[in-house]
Amino acid sequence: MARENILVTGGAGYIGSHVARDLYGKGFNPVVLDNLSTGCRDNVLYGDFVLGNINDGPLVARTIREYNIRGVIHFAASIVVEESVSRPLEYYENNSLNAFRLVKTCIENDIREFVFSSTAAVYGIPEKVPVPETAPMIPINPYGKSKVVTEMLLQDVSVAYPGFHYIALRYFNVAGADGEARLGQNYRKPTHLMTLALRTALGDYPELKIFGRDYPTPDGTAVRDYIHIDDLSAAHLLALGYLKNEKKSRVFNCGYGVGRSVAEVVAAAREVTGVDFRAVPCDRRPGDAPELVADSRLIRTELGWIPRFNDLHYIIETAWKWEKKLKEERKVRK
Ligand code: UFG
């Protein structure tokens, strides 16, 4: 039987490439649409590749028709919280306006299933932690706001077009890499804690900055819910299955429900790497929330999601293997 094609926007990026791997593994054919602005062609190991922008209506429509696509997983977005504070126009354009154009093209071309990469940043500074999906969306940075806009758009569209259903997955802090180091993060300018910690251990940076030591948390550093990329990827496959079977729109948190502080991550990274790298306390980073931890009961009960890698050391080990491989490859290219 021919594989069903699924459009994966941003499939050349970190999360999209892992999901494309799993789609292929489950018998789908991922059709990756990516403009390679932050993604990388080398990450597209499975399915087909289309170079282009999500706001290019004719290209997206042509791709949907050509591949007879009914399901879309939309990753393509800008994702750096701090950058969004200094470049809000870019974030609203990419994450809200271009997402709007994509959704419009999807509606015009009879897309039935739409999985959307949302974020814990929609909650801002939650009153209650772990934060449930029902908590109010009061984002504190343009990144979170730009994603709220798209969630609202999807909600309205799903009411007006009864054949269209979506699932918004609100990611907490995605980390780690493919267990065999085939895929991982390779942003040109990394900003995420774990990547920077490991690159500091590799000697790429002289020190790691710890942003904020005066948060109202047990050790004063910010707390996040780190989820392994493979568990997050599995949630997308379950979401797609749910949309196909249940034909209902939903919103789910994606996290383990376990908070780890920046200081804990640094200690674990030192243990995994065996390198006692320098970490220096600095001022808080603009736009950061003190604590973001998921209440993840809903995705477990509704989608049957069972996380397999809720282990900070394992998460760091997979990222460490990947970072070492990347460094070797960079050396060979020089
Ligand atoms: N941090 C440091 N030093 C660094 C980098 C980060 O102390 O060099 C701290 C940050 O201040 C923050 C924590 O580590 O407290 C995690 O920061 P990341 O940059 O790794 O991730 P964010 O929490 O800022 O954002 C990530 C994703 C967002 C998502 C959010 C949800 O990038 O897309 O998680 O929790 F919305």
Side-chain angles (χ1 to χ4, degrees), residues 148-163:
V148 170
V149 171
T150 305
E151 275 205 32
M152 288 181 165
L153 166 76
L154 286 167
Q155 198 194 352
D156 290 341
V157 164
S158 70
V159 171
Y161 299 90

Side-chain angles (χ1 to χ4, degrees), residues 15 17 21 24 37 49 62 72 92 102 134 136 147 154 159-160 163 237 246 248 263 276 313-314 331:
I15 302 173
S17 61
R21 175 202 64 191
Y24 196 84
S37 57
F49 177 68
R62 205 164 55 239
V72 173
Y92 280 102
L102 173 71
T134 47
K147 289 280 185 176
L154 286 167
V159 171
L237 275 288
E246 305 293 328
K248 271 194 239 160
D276 191 20
H313 280 77
Y314 176 77
K331 264 194 222 151

Side-chain angles (χ1 to χ4, degrees), residues 78-82 118-122 141 143-144 147 171-174 190-197 207-212 215 221-226 260-262 265-266 280 283-285 287-290 292-293:
S78 304
I79 57 148
V80 182
V81 171
E82 188 182 21
S118 190
T119 169
V122 299
N141 49 57
Y143 169 64
K147 289 280 185 176
Y171 307 161
F172 283 67
N173 285 59
V174 190
T191 60
H192 288 110
L193 174 64
M194 249 179 229
T195 309
L196 290 176
E207 61 192 26
L208 176 77
K209 293 189 169 75
I210 295 186
F211 296 130
Y215 283 111
T221 64
V223 168
R224 295 288 183 273
D225 186 341
Y226 294 90
R260 275 116 177 182
S261 71
V262 172
V265 171
V266 169
V280 290
D283 288 346
R284 293 181 182 193
R285 200 174 62 173
D288 275 351
L292 279 171
V293 178

